[in-house]
Amino acid sequence: MQEEACHTHVRKSHHSDTVKKNLTTRLNRIEGQIRGIKGLIDKDTYCDDVITQIAATQSALNSVAKILLEGHLKTCIVDRIQEGDTEAVDEVLVTIQKLMKK
């Protein structure tokens, strides 16, 4: 669906089916990690072990964000800049700032 770009009035991504499947698989795994963390807390697991699992889950979420950001930069943002929409750069900077907040 390369024709539907992010810069249209109704913004949509245009990920390939392969990328969508990859992201869905990763998110399903993360969902399982979250359930696992809840289970660890229910079982009164040692705090450091729970924190380690939380860190692993955050890392997995960061990986999903990196994949999305890369695709966004290579398609949506490039398209918008080529069309003269330099505000796209500011949008990306705000997005990166959101990702880096911790």
Side-chain angles (χ1 to χ4, degrees):
M1 300 194 92
Q2 204 70 351
E3 296 80 38
E4 285 185 344
C6 291
H7 62 278
T8 58
H9 283 76
V10 178
R11 291 185 177 182
K12 290 187 176 189
S13 64
H14 45 273
H15 304 293
S16 69
D17 288 341
T18 304
V19 171
K20 285 183 190 179
K21 186 174 191 259
N22 179 14
L23 292 171
T24 300
T25 299
R26 288 171 181 266
L27 290 169
N28 287 339
R29 195 173 311 127
I30 292 165
E31 188 176 26
Q33 287 176 294
I34 297 293
R35 282 193 302 274
I37 292 167
K38 286 169 58 177
L40 293 175
I41 291 171
D42 289 342
K43 295 176 192 171
D44 296 320
T45 303
Y46 186 61
C47 295
D48 192 58
D49 295 336
V50 176
I51 291 167
T52 298
Q53 290 305 312
I54 290 170
T57 304
Q58 286 174 326
S59 178
L61 275 172
N62 286 340
S63 292
V64 170
K66 287 177 195 174
I67 292 167
L68 288 169
L69 182 59
E70 180 181 349
H72 185 55
L73 287 170
K74 288 181 175 179
T75 57
C76 303
I77 298 303
V78 168
D79 290 348
R80 287 175 60 190
I81 290 170
Q82 287 175 343
E83 292 174 1
D85 182 1
T86 56
E87 289 180 14
V89 174
D90 292 330
E91 177 188 294
V92 170
L93 292 173
V94 169
T95 300
I96 291 170
Q97 287 172 353
K98 287 177 189 175
L99 286 172
M100 295 179 77
K101 277 188 184 175
K102 289 199 178 196

